[in-house]
Amino acid sequence: MGVQFSQPWFLLLLIPAALFLYYAFRSDFRLSGFRKKLALTLRALVILLLILMLSGLHGYTVLRDKQVVFLADRSDSMGDADRISTWISEAVQTKGERDQTAIVSVGLEGAVERLLTDHERPGAGMNARLESRFTGLESGLQLAGSLFEGSSDSRIVLISDGEENVGSMAAAGRLLKDRGIAVDVLPAPGQQIRDVAVEELRVPDRLYQAEAFYAEVLVQSTFKTSGELRIYEDNREIARQTVEVSPGENRFAVQGLAKTPGLHRYRAEVFMSGDESSANNAAYDFTRVEGSPKVLIVEGKPDTSSNITAALESALIGTEVIPPEMLSLEAAKYAAYDSIIFNNVSATKVSGPAMDMIEQAVRSFGVGFMMVGGENSYGMGGYFKTPIEKALPVSMELEGKREVPSLGLILVIDRSGSMDGNKIELAKESAMRTVELLRSKDTVGVVAFDDQPWWVVMPQTLDNKEEVISSIQSIPSGGGTDIYPAVASALDEMLKLNTQRKHIILMTDGQSAFNSNYQGLADTMVEENITMSTVAVGMDADLNLLQFLAEAANGRYYFVEDETTLPAVFSQETVMMAQSYIVDRPFVPAVQQAGDWMGLFERGVPGLLGYIATTPKPSAQNVLVSPEPDPVLARWQYGSGRTVAWTSDLSGKWSSEWVNWSGFADTLTEIVKWTFPQFVSSPYEITTAVAGNEVTLQVNTTGDQPPEKLSAIIGDDEAGEQVVELIQEAPGRYTGQVRVSKPGAFLMSLQDHSDEEAVQAAPGTGFVVPYSPEYKISSGGGEEALTRLAELTGGRVLSWDEPAAVFDREASTRTQLHDWSYALLAAALLLCCPLYTSDAADEPQGVDLGGRRTIQKNTFPHFPVSYTPLPLPTSYLTATP
């Protein structure tokens, strides 16, 4: 314990203070004895305390405690984390009473497990959720350094193998050194496993159809073994080879043949005997195969696309026909096609992620899209407010076109506990989309049920859609499942409605709790011209009951395995209640805005027998229209791609004259070709470099006028998208950074923002982050990097056998200051109180002279000299008793 002065020159005031007190002592205060000594002593103490306060007197304590933050690397390359937890616990048990410890874990980023505390805990629990596929020691060191308090002996203990692949721990170490924070390191031995890893796959950047090529594969191994090396093109095996590998690098060249045009993803994969890690067994690459274009045809009903395929193949356009259930959930697959055609496909058969990926492929990567009509397409197919509708030049909603019979609709929605999570959210989205489709004169009600019905929206006309939608959003989940009371309640309310059509939609994912008289409900519905459709969500639903109810009530039964299609089911059901969407009378389309297609129709157009009514979007180009007028053939530019809407069919039911027309093949071919990506060659050279979870993009252009502003659109396998603004470092050279949280295949396209509207600047390409560098075979330089970090910051290299060494060192001393200014001021104020009390006792006393008071000649104790009061008028000297 010691004392210090922050403003020591104020101590010079002690000299005049001492002189003043000496003078006062020698002067005549008319005080004597103890009272004089007491008054002078108190005044001396007050003056001394005030001078000490002004001089900044404070105490200090010399401390030798330590603050230690344990930084544990919990990435996958470290293996089991129990040994780290045990070592930290043993080290903490050897700390001093005042020493403080904290724990931070790190993977891709750091996470605090425990803040600084001087309490010993029985274990070093490490439970934070981390992205363990990367090692970002820089992030962990920065977080650990931010936990220190005050200026005590601060030190970080880093437990890691040193194999960082994100950031730079050396950069973090330099910052810690400047702050006086040392980093002790505990090198963790790498996992000794038998491992074969595919480090790299290289294929030519550009190929031509039917061209033979070699795929170059770099394989690393820690032991000698043999197995198979396989090459895949878009998940289709194109080559297989038996190989032997030795410890170290092994290079192979596998021959392949580019068969189909488009952007393709290639994968090299090894299957080796004795390999103990499969996370690094594959590598990827992209290439574009030039050749005849290829179109993906998705048909809603089997064998109904022969007219389309025959027309396209006659123009040497390749086709691939699949059912909607086979649509890929990998975004890269759609980049292999020049255009996609939906031929009478119901939205209930297309999953939500597939719709998102197709819309993204059109908007961002220039893939064309065309929808062909039929009873299951457009509004009749449930495409209202879907990503596909966004891409089309027409909308599904009929905006005040024709008189539709008034509709009374009640939605009966299961809200039991099994609907919790995504199911109930999609059910609410389905109900809200249904409300948006209805007109103001329609009547809607919503009843949710578990073991009891709950009327969310009593049947009412849609004067205020927003209020109804808000009520639907409030539906919670919970409880059991009893269908009968909810359907019975819905039927009771439906009987009160006065609408031309009455319909109930029942949706559930569970079994009903009781057996009830469902036949009686169905009979009542038939008698009152009320229909009911049912939607079974998943295999746990009461499929037999729901199918029986739909058939007995003259409705439709839907089985939904993918809940993301629920909104499309409800939209389709709602639209099907308004049959005016189908226009089934003969007519001859009129040419309206043909543009460059005018030559296709200059000799006239065949007639049609029907189509699906839609509404053209404001910027769409209506090429052919019906007498209504409704669009029959419409087109527009959507983002980087082009889309076409043909609202009649092409199977021959409504379009028999068209498919038998001599100009049909040429016309359809030109329409589809118009949707193809609109570029011939690209002046841009794109290169990518992957470092950890960051991808550096570099774009070079040889054009005469490089764009002022260029951006890259990055799409992943889950339809996620990033827009990266590229920085122009020099004329014609642009760079940008993309951060990825997991490995995968990424599509990329460039957009030129020089004009008001962004346009696609280059063909779509791609890059791959095959697997995290965390799974690469170690080069063995991690321990050296940790040693350099310790030397840089003044730390030590610790041992696994001596956890006590963390605290077994002489701590650097520090002083803890104690501010005394407030205490000194309070003491001075308290000492003033006796002074005032003493002074009051020495005030002049009056003498009573015959009932009047007079002031006696006296000496005031506040002054060092005596005086005689001046004579005062009698009126001032006389006091009334």
Side-chain angles (χ1 to χ4, degrees):
M1 183 70 177
V3 295
Q4 292 180 348
F5 295 92
S6 60
Q7 310 285 344
W9 51 85
F10 277 104
L11 293 175
L12 296 175
L13 294 175
L14 291 172
I15 297 174
L19 294 174
F20 174 76
L21 291 171
Y22 176 75
Y23 176 73
F25 179 76
R26 300 295 298 175
S27 300
D28 183 11
F29 273 93
R30 295 303 177 98
L31 292 175
S32 63
F34 173 75
R35 293 180 62 192
K36 181 177 181 179
K37 293 178 181 179
L38 176 61
L40 287 173
T41 301
L42 291 176
R43 284 162 172 75
L45 288 175
V46 170
I47 293 172
L48 178 62
L49 289 173
L50 292 175
I51 292 175
L52 291 177
M53 184 193 71
L54 292 173
S55 63
L57 175 66
H58 55 262
Y60 68 88
T61 306
V62 178
L63 300 177
R64 296 180 179 274
D65 59 323
K66 309 178 184 75
Q67 290 186 346
V68 176
V69 176
F70 293 93
L71 176 57
D73 180 357
R74 285 176 51 202
S75 60
D76 287 346
S77 63
M78 290 289 290
D80 187 10
D82 289 342
R83 59 174 180 166
I84 300 177
S85 178
T86 301
W87 191 89
I88 294 176
S89 297
E90 293 175 356
V92 170
Q93 291 174 4
T94 65
K95 77 179 187 67
E97 183 179 355
R98 295 177 60 88
D99 294 340
Q100 294 182 309
T101 62
I103 301 176
V104 172
S105 294
V106 65
L108 174 61
E109 295 179 341
V112 177
E113 302 279 5
R114 190 174 75 198
L115 294 171
L116 278 171
T117 177
D118 57 2
H119 298 295
E120 292 189 24
R121 299 193 179 184
M126 292 183 289
N127 304 309
R129 298 184 64 181
L130 299 169
E131 174 54 82
S132 60
R133 290 177 291 185
F134 298 94
T135 303
L137 297 182
E138 179 182 11
S139 171
L141 288 168
Q142 291 174 347
L143 180 59
S146 69
L147 298 183
F148 291 111
E149 302 172 352
S151 57
S152 61
D153 185 302
S154 303
R155 190 169 292 258
I156 296 173
V157 177
L158 172 58
I159 309 169
S160 173
D161 57 7
E163 300 288 344
E164 67 173 343
N165 42 60
V166 178
S168 170
M169 61 178 170
R174 287 189 288 270
L175 295 175
L176 293 172
K177 177 185 177 183
D178 294 339
R179 294 176 54 193
I181 300 174
V183 180
D184 291 345
V185 297
L186 178 63
Q191 299 183 77
Q192 301 298 321
I193 63 173
R194 296 157 62 89
D195 192 11
V196 180
V198 182
E199 291 281 335
E200 187 178 75
L201 168 65
R202 286 188 175 274
V203 296
D205 294 335
R206 191 172 294 274
L207 295 169
Y208 291 94
Q209 192 172 11
E211 179 183 0
F213 66 95
Y214 281 95
E216 300 177 2
V217 185
L218 172 61
V219 179
Q220 286 271 9
S221 180
T222 62
F223 68 109
K224 184 175 182 178
T225 186
S226 61
E228 283 189 343
L229 171 62
R230 302 176 187 175
I231 307 296
Y232 297 85
E233 180 188 75
D234 299 328
N235 296 325
R236 178 178 62 87
E237 184 179 318
I238 61 172
R240 178 183 298 201
Q241 182 175 315
T242 301
V243 297
E244 292 186 357
V245 296
S246 301
E249 290 188 357
N250 301 266
R251 294 184 180 273
F252 304 97
V254 182
Q255 189 173 22
L257 182 67
K259 293 184 177 180
T260 57
L263 185 64
H264 295 285
R265 183 183 64 177
Y266 290 86
R267 181 173 88 252
E269 193 167 1
V270 293
F271 300 86
M272 295 292 179
S273 176
D275 185 12
E276 297 178 6
S277 175
S278 60
N280 53 12
N281 286 1
Y284 301 81
D285 199 8
F286 274 103
T287 192
R288 182 174 290 278
V289 178
E290 302 290 350
S292 60
K294 187 174 182 180
V295 175
L296 175 65
I297 302 173
V298 184
E299 59 179 9
K301 295 181 180 179
D303 304 322
T304 57
S305 301
S306 57
N307 294 328
I308 301 174
T309 57
L312 296 179
E313 290 174 358
S314 67
L316 301 179
I317 298 176
T319 60
E320 179 181 350
V321 182
I322 63 170
E325 293 82 3
M326 295 296 292
L327 282 168
S328 176
L329 295 181
E330 296 181 23
K333 290 284 290 183
Y334 297 105
Y337 302 101
D338 294 273
S339 190
I340 301 170
I341 297 177
F342 270 26
N343 180 23
N344 195 22
V345 177
S346 171
T348 60
K349 297 182 179 181
V350 184
S351 68
M355 286 195 193
D356 289 331
M357 291 176 186
I358 292 173
E359 186 270 340
Q360 182 192 58
V362 176
R363 171 174 45 83
S364 299
F365 304 108
V367 177
F369 182 79
M370 178 178 180
M371 178 173 281
V372 175
E375 298 94 330
N376 296 319
S377 64
Y378 295 101
M380 294 297 295
Y383 284 96
F384 178 70
K385 285 210 166 183
T386 62
I388 297 296
E389 185 194 33
K390 286 173 59 179
L392 287 171
V394 296
S395 64
M396 309 299 123
E397 189 174 11
L398 301 183
E399 298 176 354
K401 292 212 166 186
R402 49 186 64 84
E403 185 65 23
V404 178
S406 59
L407 174 64
L409 178 66
I410 294 180
L411 307 178
V412 184
I413 298 176
D414 185 352
R415 73 174 191 102
S416 61
S418 60
M419 290 288 292
D420 188 35
N422 197 40
K423 284 184 183 178
I424 191 66
E425 293 303 320
L426 286 168
K428 291 191 285 187
E429 171 65 24
S430 305
M432 290 186 289
R433 192 177 295 183
T434 298
V435 170
E436 290 177 350
L437 270 171
L438 298 175
R439 300 155 302 159
S440 58
K441 73 174 184 178
D442 292 328
T443 302
V444 68
V446 181
V447 56
F449 70 92
D450 41 31
D451 49 3
Q452 293 292 330
W454 167 47
W455 279 98
V456 181
V457 178
M458 291 299 295
Q460 58 185 269
T461 56
L462 284 174
D463 298 323
N464 191 339
K465 286 188 178 183
E466 290 73 16
E467 182 178 343
V468 173
I469 290 173
S470 177
S471 299
I472 294 173
Q473 287 177 324
S474 66
I475 300 177
S477 61
T481 305
D482 193 3
I483 299 174
Y484 182 85
V487 176
S489 180
L491 178 58
D492 290 341
E493 294 297 326
M494 186 66 79
L495 293 173
K496 303 175 184 177
L497 300 184
N498 184 22
T499 57
Q500 294 168 291
R501 293 182 181 178
K502 300 179 181 181
H503 188 60
I504 299 173
I505 302 177
L506 166 66
M507 187 215 71
T508 180
D509 73 337
Q511 303 279 334
S512 188
F514 306 100
N515 293 322
S516 304
N517 185 20
Y518 289 104
Q519 183 63 57
L521 291 179
D523 292 341
T524 303
M525 291 181 190
V526 173
E527 292 174 6
E528 299 294 333
N529 292 322
I530 300 172
T531 57
M532 180 170 71
S533 294
T534 59
V535 183
V537 183
M539 294 300 298
D540 293 334
D542 197 335
L543 307 183
N544 294 330
L545 172 62
L546 295 176
Q547 189 168 6
F548 161 75
L549 286 174
E551 293 174 354
N554 297 324
R556 287 161 293 277
Y557 164 72
Y558 298 88
F559 171 69
V560 174
E561 192 168 7
D562 181 359
E563 61 261 24
T564 62
T565 63
L566 273 175
V569 171
F570 274 65
S571 296
Q572 184 178 20
E573 264 299 294
T574 306
V575 169
M576 290 182 72
M577 296 306 299
Q579 293 297 321
S580 57
Y581 272 78
I582 298 179
V583 181
D584 56 357
R585 53 179 176 270
F587 70 98
V588 176
V591 180
Q592 189 174 80
Q593 296 174 302
D596 55 345
W597 287 352
M598 194 60 177
L600 300 175
F601 310 118
E602 58 185 2
R603 296 184 180 180
V605 294
L608 292 168
L609 300 178
Y611 65 95
I612 302 295
T614 59
T615 300
K617 293 180 180 177
S619 57
Q621 183 179 350
N622 295 319
V623 181
L624 299 177
V625 296
S626 71
E628 295 297 335
D630 290 324
V632 174
L633 177 62
R635 66 180 185 178
W636 77 340
Q637 181 84 30
Y638 181 70
S640 298
R642 293 175 169 184
T643 65
V644 170
W646 171 261
T647 59
S648 187
D649 75 323
L650 289 178
S651 63
K653 178 180 179 180
W654 293 333
S655 57
S656 56
E657 294 185 27
W658 270 79
V659 297
N660 293 318
W661 176 38
S662 59
F664 170 71
D666 291 340
T667 301
L668 180 60
T669 299
E670 289 301 317
I671 292 173
V672 174
K673 280 184 177 180
W674 183 85
T675 67
F676 288 172
Q678 301 302 300
F679 43 75
V680 179
S681 60
S682 172
Y684 296 94
E685 179 185 352
I686 304 170
T687 58
T688 58
V690 181
N693 68 328
E694 288 191 348
V695 180
T696 301
L697 306 177
Q698 181 167 320
V699 179
N700 294 301
T701 178
T702 57
D704 296 333
Q705 295 181 340
E708 296 179 1
K709 187 177 180 182
L710 200 64
S711 66
I713 298 179
I714 313 297
D716 59 24
D717 283 342
E718 299 176 354
E721 190 172 276
Q722 296 184 56
V723 179
V724 180
E725 299 296 335
L726 300 179
I727 300 173
Q728 187 171 185
E729 296 183 335
R733 188 175 70 198
Y734 308 82
T735 60
Q737 295 283 337
V738 182
R739 174 167 289 190
V740 295
S741 60
K742 60 183 179 180
F746 297 85
L747 294 174
M748 182 176 70
S749 71
L750 296 178
Q751 285 196 343
D752 184 351
H753 296 268
S754 300
D755 299 327
E756 293 184 2
E757 292 188 4
V759 296
Q760 188 170 8
T765 183
F767 63 89
V768 175
V769 181
Y771 55 80
S772 169
E774 188 73 19
Y775 306 116
K776 287 188 176 181
I777 295 177
S778 173
S779 59
E783 186 170 352
E784 294 181 7
L786 291 174
T787 303
R788 290 193 298 270
L789 175 65
E791 294 174 351
L792 172 66
T793 60
R796 304 165 298 165
V797 178
L798 303 177
S799 169
W800 285 91
D801 299 327
E802 299 180 8
V806 174
F807 296 96
D808 187 14
R809 56 184 173 80
E810 188 69 22
S812 59
T813 61
R814 71 180 178 95
T815 58
Q816 183 178 18
L817 299 179
H818 308 289
D819 187 6
W820 289 353
S821 58
Y822 291 106
L824 293 171
L825 180 60
L829 293 175
L830 290 173
L831 289 174
C832 288
C833 294
L835 289 177
Y836 293 130
T837 304
S838 175
D839 293 348
D842 297 327
E843 289 180 357
Q845 303 296 316
V847 178
D848 189 359
L849 297 176
R852 294 178 297 173
R853 282 191 181 274
T854 61
I855 297 178
Q856 181 181 347
K857 177 182 174 183
N858 198 1
T859 303
F860 285 82
H862 293 289
F863 300 94
V865 294
S866 62
Y867 72 96
T868 300
L870 294 175
L872 298 174
T874 305
S875 60
Y876 285 91
L877 297 176
T878 303
T880 302

